[in-house]
Amino acid sequence: MKQFWPLFKKELRTYFTSPIFYIVGAVFLALTGYFFINSIINYSRMGIQLSGSGNPIENFNPTTVVMKPLFNTMGTIFILLTPLITMRLMAEEKKARTMELLMTSPVSITAIVAAKYLAAWIIYSIVILSTLYMPFVINYYSSVVWTQIFTGYLGVLLLGASMMAVGLFCSSLTDKQIIAAVLTIGILVIFWFIGGVLGSASEELTRIMRGLSLFAHFDALTDGLFDLRDIVYLLSFSIVALFITHRVIDMSRWKG
Amino acid sequence: MISVNSVTKRFGERVAVNNVSFTVETGEIMGFLGPNGAGKTTTMRIITGYMPPTEGSVRVNDMDVFEHPYEVKRIIGYMPEHPPLYLEMTVKEYLRFAAELRGLRGQRIKEAIDRVVELCGISHVFNRLVGNLSKGYRQRVGLAQALVHDPEVLVLDEPTVGLDPRQIVEIRQLIKDLGKDKTVILSTHILQEVTTICDSVTIINNGKVVASDKIENLSRRFAEKLSILIRVRRPEVIDIDKIRAIEGVENVQWSDEKSLRVYLSADVDIRERLAGEIFSMSAGLLEFRTETPGLEDIFIKVVTEELNVT
């Protein structure tokens, strides 16, 4: 991990001095804000309707009805926003030939990968955690199940860890940001929907596909289920993607 | 000290560098010459540890570049052909980053930056964005980056491209000063640059070293081509056969209507006799000049000879 800090500081500074971070943040907050208000209105309407029916519905509380769908929305929005954060990470270094500076300095590839990855994930986390006002607003007027809020956010942050790793990997494959972006979206869409579209296939296959799906593991966490297997899956997904990224960068040295 | 030992680099089928060997001593500036695509940049990238060779090894100050990559990279300053700049940073931020990457910390960073800013003459653009600088200044920032950690070994890939004539003189002087106690490899297309600042020269063509020696040795080696140019006012009175008869003259040719080129065969100094002969012909001697082969002639000779062989 030689020279991790200077690289990490540089990456973070690049995010904060470029407009992309602010644009991603603004778009994300606007979208989630819209869905948040929508869910709240929906929740109160359903509340009024249900109060007349006399049949209590299981799990009818703001955490499940408002926050859980919002966590899903956050994940879905970030399928599209992830490349905006990650596409330049390696592609730009190659395009601007600054890779030559990094690779001829006493810097390890591990440090380069780790610094870029962590910086991207921190940017992602800042954007995600800026929605923390939502549970507090709900809690002010009603009440939330804080443990579920916690596992929900943990799920979103771990999902982001996987998404950033995929983005960084795609960025290491090319010197064109747009190609990195399209690849990232492609891979994320596959891993997001892989578990959901196989209803007609055999049960065994569906089970395997669900096991591979990012969404399935993330979904369990937003339900408030703290299962170590989901956490291990999301973490190992990231580590594998980062390992491949390391190999790709190392191999590109041989090709010149 | 840099020693390159039988380095070969293949990209698939293509051989970019073929069994290249040379040595550059400490305190020596070596000019690295070759036509476009000869393998200069690839060789330099291998020396700096940017890419591994397919075969062979490179040692810098007696350390193998690929066995001790971090130690070697710490003492090498590399300025690639395209300066590796972050356009969105200011010069100050960029140099600070470059210094930190090379492992400098704390107060030493500030001292190092002050030193290179002074050396490369970029103090008045210090707080400007690199992206807003002209090509010449970007080039200087690229050089400052290579010098910031005061490396013992400098590898410069065409450092004066894009500079104006005054800047070229300044940068050449700077490299010459640096070369007194450092090991410097300088790749360039400008042969005059090599003659003015380099101690030795390595010429590479098609990935192979075709000449590698001190500049004066190379000149001597190619000195069999030594010739004398004689310009006279009355060419009609010159008796070529008489000149041919002088011992040591190999050939005589008119190079234009008033100038005669006399090719000499060996080291025999016949200038006095030759001048006397012309004088006795009363041809009206206007100019009498020994032509030693310049680096340009040597370069063209070795590169075309190589072409003829292959």
PDB file of all heavy atoms in Angstrom, chain B residues 4 17 38 40 43 74 130 144 165 182 196 200 241 245 263 268 270 291 300 309:
ATOM      1  N   VAL B   4      21.969  -1.228 -19.075  1.00  0.00           N
ATOM      2  CA  VAL B   4      20.919  -1.957 -19.771  1.00  0.00           C
ATOM      3  C   VAL B   4      21.587  -3.173 -20.393  1.00  0.00           C
ATOM      4  O   VAL B   4      22.539  -3.032 -21.161  1.00  0.00           O
ATOM      5  CB  VAL B   4      20.303  -1.060 -20.867  1.00  0.00           C
ATOM      6  CG1 VAL B   4      19.274  -1.831 -21.678  1.00  0.00           C
ATOM      7  CG2 VAL B   4      19.663   0.172 -20.239  1.00  0.00           C
ATOM      8  N   VAL B  17      12.085  -3.636 -29.119  1.00  0.00           N
ATOM      9  CA  VAL B  17      13.467  -3.423 -28.691  1.00  0.00           C
ATOM     10  C   VAL B  17      14.168  -4.777 -28.781  1.00  0.00           C
ATOM     11  O   VAL B  17      13.653  -5.768 -28.276  1.00  0.00           O
ATOM     12  CB  VAL B  17      13.520  -2.888 -27.243  1.00  0.00           C
ATOM     13  CG1 VAL B  17      14.938  -2.803 -26.757  1.00  0.00           C
ATOM     14  CG2 VAL B  17      12.842  -1.534 -27.146  1.00  0.00           C
ATOM     15  N   ALA B  38      11.834   3.916 -33.410  1.00  0.00           N
ATOM     16  CA  ALA B  38      13.019   3.058 -33.325  1.00  0.00           C
ATOM     17  C   ALA B  38      13.042   2.244 -32.038  1.00  0.00           C
ATOM     18  O   ALA B  38      13.763   1.258 -31.933  1.00  0.00           O
ATOM     19  CB  ALA B  38      14.272   3.905 -33.418  1.00  0.00           C
ATOM     20  N   LYS B  40      12.980   4.048 -28.829  1.00  0.00           N
ATOM     21  CA  LYS B  40      13.548   4.889 -27.764  1.00  0.00           C
ATOM     22  C   LYS B  40      12.624   4.949 -26.547  1.00  0.00           C
ATOM     23  O   LYS B  40      13.045   4.684 -25.419  1.00  0.00           O
ATOM     24  CB  LYS B  40      13.761   6.339 -28.264  1.00  0.00           C
ATOM     25  CG  LYS B  40      14.728   6.481 -29.395  1.00  0.00           C
ATOM     26  CD  LYS B  40      15.048   7.950 -29.620  1.00  0.00           C
ATOM     27  CE  LYS B  40      13.882   8.781 -30.106  1.00  0.00           C
ATOM     28  NZ  LYS B  40      13.462   8.557 -31.477  1.00  0.00           N
ATOM     29  N   THR B  43      12.384   1.695 -24.643  1.00  0.00           N
ATOM     30  CA  THR B  43      13.575   1.460 -23.829  1.00  0.00           C
ATOM     31  C   THR B  43      13.522   2.308 -22.555  1.00  0.00           C
ATOM     32  O   THR B  43      13.812   1.825 -21.455  1.00  0.00           O
ATOM     33  CB  THR B  43      14.835   1.815 -24.635  1.00  0.00           C
ATOM     34  OG1 THR B  43      14.774   1.166 -25.897  1.00  0.00           O
ATOM     35  CG2 THR B  43      16.085   1.374 -23.906  1.00  0.00           C
ATOM     36  N   ARG B  74      12.342   5.447  -6.662  1.00  0.00           N
ATOM     37  CA  ARG B  74      12.586   6.568  -5.765  1.00  0.00           C
ATOM     38  C   ARG B  74      13.753   7.441  -6.242  1.00  0.00           C
ATOM     39  O   ARG B  74      13.788   8.636  -5.953  1.00  0.00           O
ATOM     40  CB  ARG B  74      12.899   6.022  -4.370  1.00  0.00           C
ATOM     41  CG  ARG B  74      12.370   6.827  -3.237  1.00  0.00           C
ATOM     42  CD  ARG B  74      12.663   6.113  -1.944  1.00  0.00           C
ATOM     43  NE  ARG B  74      11.641   5.117  -1.645  1.00  0.00           N
ATOM     44  CZ  ARG B  74      10.510   5.407  -1.017  1.00  0.00           C
ATOM     45  NH1 ARG B  74      10.272   6.622  -0.632  1.00  0.00           N
ATOM     46  NH2 ARG B  74       9.618   4.468  -0.775  1.00  0.00           N
ATOM     47  N   VAL B 130      -2.812  24.027 -14.298  1.00  0.00           N
ATOM     48  CA  VAL B 130      -1.937  23.441 -15.322  1.00  0.00           C
ATOM     49  C   VAL B 130      -2.629  23.476 -16.691  1.00  0.00           C
ATOM     50  O   VAL B 130      -2.010  23.759 -17.710  1.00  0.00           O
ATOM     51  CB  VAL B 130      -1.570  21.987 -14.943  1.00  0.00           C
ATOM     52  CG1 VAL B 130      -0.769  21.334 -16.052  1.00  0.00           C
ATOM     53  CG2 VAL B 130      -0.782  21.965 -13.641  1.00  0.00           C
ATOM     54  N   ALA B 144       9.841  19.819 -13.979  1.00  0.00           N
ATOM     55  CA  ALA B 144       9.888  20.077 -12.528  1.00  0.00           C
ATOM     56  C   ALA B 144       9.432  18.834 -11.762  1.00  0.00           C
ATOM     57  O   ALA B 144      10.011  18.472 -10.737  1.00  0.00           O
ATOM     58  CB  ALA B 144       8.998  21.265 -12.182  1.00  0.00           C
ATOM     59  N   PRO B 165      12.947  29.291 -28.618  1.00  0.00           N
ATOM     60  CA  PRO B 165      14.421  29.190 -28.659  1.00  0.00           C
ATOM     61  C   PRO B 165      15.109  29.619 -27.360  1.00  0.00           C
ATOM     62  O   PRO B 165      16.080  29.000 -26.936  1.00  0.00           O
ATOM     63  CB  PRO B 165      14.792  30.133 -29.799  1.00  0.00           C
ATOM     64  CG  PRO B 165      13.608  30.165 -30.667  1.00  0.00           C
ATOM     65  CD  PRO B 165      12.416  30.000 -29.778  1.00  0.00           C
ATOM     66  N   LYS B 182      24.665  13.826 -11.891  1.00  0.00           N
ATOM     67  CA  LYS B 182      23.602  12.824 -12.026  1.00  0.00           C
ATOM     68  C   LYS B 182      23.855  11.980 -13.273  1.00  0.00           C
ATOM     69  O   LYS B 182      24.689  12.324 -14.097  1.00  0.00           O
ATOM     70  CB  LYS B 182      22.241  13.515 -12.183  1.00  0.00           C
ATOM     71  CG  LYS B 182      21.823  14.318 -10.968  1.00  0.00           C
ATOM     72  CD  LYS B 182      20.428  14.857 -11.153  1.00  0.00           C
ATOM     73  CE  LYS B 182      20.101  15.933 -10.157  1.00  0.00           C
ATOM     74  NZ  LYS B 182      20.209  15.506  -8.756  1.00  0.00           N
ATOM     75  N   THR B 196      25.694  19.665 -28.199  1.00  0.00           N
ATOM     76  CA  THR B 196      25.993  20.706 -27.209  1.00  0.00           C
ATOM     77  C   THR B 196      25.971  20.197 -25.780  1.00  0.00           C
ATOM     78  O   THR B 196      26.724  20.685 -24.953  1.00  0.00           O
ATOM     79  CB  THR B 196      25.033  21.906 -27.315  1.00  0.00           C
ATOM     80  OG1 THR B 196      23.703  21.404 -27.456  1.00  0.00           O
ATOM     81  CG2 THR B 196      25.373  22.804 -28.467  1.00  0.00           C
ATOM     82  N   SER B 200      28.032  11.354 -24.319  1.00  0.00           N
ATOM     83  CA  SER B 200      28.072  10.162 -25.165  1.00  0.00           C
ATOM     84  C   SER B 200      26.757  10.058 -25.907  1.00  0.00           C
ATOM     85  O   SER B 200      25.808  10.780 -25.620  1.00  0.00           O
ATOM     86  CB  SER B 200      28.292   8.915 -24.323  1.00  0.00           C
ATOM     87  OG  SER B 200      27.172   8.713 -23.498  1.00  0.00           O
ATOM     88  N   ASP B 241      44.360  16.724 -61.794  1.00  0.00           N
ATOM     89  CA  ASP B 241      45.285  15.589 -61.766  1.00  0.00           C
ATOM     90  C   ASP B 241      46.462  15.832 -60.840  1.00  0.00           C
ATOM     91  O   ASP B 241      46.925  14.917 -60.155  1.00  0.00           O
ATOM     92  CB  ASP B 241      45.801  15.297 -63.184  1.00  0.00           C
ATOM     93  CG  ASP B 241      44.674  14.787 -64.064  1.00  0.00           C
ATOM     94  OD1 ASP B 241      43.724  14.190 -63.469  1.00  0.00           O
ATOM     95  OD2 ASP B 241      44.717  14.993 -65.282  1.00  0.00           O
ATOM     96  N   ALA B 245      47.440  13.663 -57.496  1.00  0.00           N
ATOM     97  CA  ALA B 245      48.758  13.040 -57.368  1.00  0.00           C
ATOM     98  C   ALA B 245      49.348  13.188 -55.970  1.00  0.00           C
ATOM     99  O   ALA B 245      50.254  12.452 -55.589  1.00  0.00           O
ATOM    100  CB  ALA B 245      49.702  13.636 -58.404  1.00  0.00           C
ATOM    101  N   TYR B 263      38.780  14.437 -50.947  1.00  0.00           N
ATOM    102  CA  TYR B 263      38.612  13.381 -49.935  1.00  0.00           C
ATOM    103  C   TYR B 263      39.962  12.814 -49.568  1.00  0.00           C
ATOM    104  O   TYR B 263      40.763  12.506 -50.434  1.00  0.00           O
ATOM    105  CB  TYR B 263      37.703  12.276 -50.474  1.00  0.00           C
ATOM    106  CG  TYR B 263      36.296  12.746 -50.694  1.00  0.00           C
ATOM    107  CD1 TYR B 263      35.886  13.186 -51.945  1.00  0.00           C
ATOM    108  CD2 TYR B 263      35.391  12.780 -49.631  1.00  0.00           C
ATOM    109  CE1 TYR B 263      34.588  13.634 -52.141  1.00  0.00           C
ATOM    110  CE2 TYR B 263      34.103  13.231 -49.823  1.00  0.00           C
ATOM    111  CZ  TYR B 263      33.701  13.654 -51.081  1.00  0.00           C
ATOM    112  OH  TYR B 263      32.425  14.106 -51.248  1.00  0.00           O
ATOM    113  N   VAL B 268      47.037  11.053 -42.622  1.00  0.00           N
ATOM    114  CA  VAL B 268      48.159  11.918 -43.016  1.00  0.00           C
ATOM    115  C   VAL B 268      47.669  13.358 -43.150  1.00  0.00           C
ATOM    116  O   VAL B 268      46.681  13.620 -43.808  1.00  0.00           O
ATOM    117  CB  VAL B 268      48.719  11.478 -44.383  1.00  0.00           C
ATOM    118  CG1 VAL B 268      50.109  12.053 -44.575  1.00  0.00           C
ATOM    119  CG2 VAL B 268      48.702   9.978 -44.511  1.00  0.00           C
ATOM    120  N   ILE B 270      47.757  16.528 -44.812  1.00  0.00           N
ATOM    121  CA  ILE B 270      48.324  17.060 -46.066  1.00  0.00           C
ATOM    122  C   ILE B 270      47.827  18.471 -46.314  1.00  0.00           C
ATOM    123  O   ILE B 270      47.918  18.986 -47.426  1.00  0.00           O
ATOM    124  CB  ILE B 270      47.937  16.165 -47.260  1.00  0.00           C
ATOM    125  CG1 ILE B 270      46.407  16.055 -47.332  1.00  0.00           C
ATOM    126  CG2 ILE B 270      48.573  14.791 -47.125  1.00  0.00           C
ATOM    127  CD1 ILE B 270      45.931  15.719 -48.705  1.00  0.00           C
ATOM    128  N   GLU B 291      36.408  19.428 -43.337  1.00  0.00           N
ATOM    129  CA  GLU B 291      35.038  19.012 -42.985  1.00  0.00           C
ATOM    130  C   GLU B 291      35.102  17.726 -42.184  1.00  0.00           C
ATOM    131  O   GLU B 291      35.344  16.659 -42.730  1.00  0.00           O
ATOM    132  CB  GLU B 291      34.222  18.777 -44.252  1.00  0.00           C
ATOM    133  CG  GLU B 291      33.963  20.045 -45.030  1.00  0.00           C
ATOM    134  CD  GLU B 291      33.081  19.771 -46.233  1.00  0.00           C
ATOM    135  OE1 GLU B 291      33.322  18.766 -46.929  1.00  0.00           O
ATOM    136  OE2 GLU B 291      32.140  20.548 -46.469  1.00  0.00           O
ATOM    137  N   ILE B 300      22.920   9.752 -39.995  1.00  0.00           N
ATOM    138  CA  ILE B 300      22.342   9.327 -41.269  1.00  0.00           C
ATOM    139  C   ILE B 300      23.078   8.108 -41.800  1.00  0.00           C
ATOM    140  O   ILE B 300      22.467   7.151 -42.279  1.00  0.00           O
ATOM    141  CB  ILE B 300      22.357  10.491 -42.280  1.00  0.00           C
ATOM    142  CG1 ILE B 300      21.339  11.525 -41.810  1.00  0.00           C
ATOM    143  CG2 ILE B 300      22.032  10.011 -43.687  1.00  0.00           C
ATOM    144  CD1 ILE B 300      21.403  12.837 -42.498  1.00  0.00           C
ATOM    145  N   VAL B 309      21.261  -3.037 -44.797  1.00  0.00           N
ATOM    146  CA  VAL B 309      21.511  -4.405 -44.364  1.00  0.00           C
ATOM    147  C   VAL B 309      20.202  -5.173 -44.250  1.00  0.00           C
ATOM    148  O   VAL B 309      20.086  -6.304 -44.658  1.00  0.00           O
ATOM    149  CB  VAL B 309      22.257  -4.405 -43.016  1.00  0.00           C
ATOM    150  CG1 VAL B 309      22.329  -5.818 -42.454  1.00  0.00           C
ATOM    151  CG2 VAL B 309      23.648  -3.832 -43.200  1.00  0.00           C
TER     152      VAL B 309
END
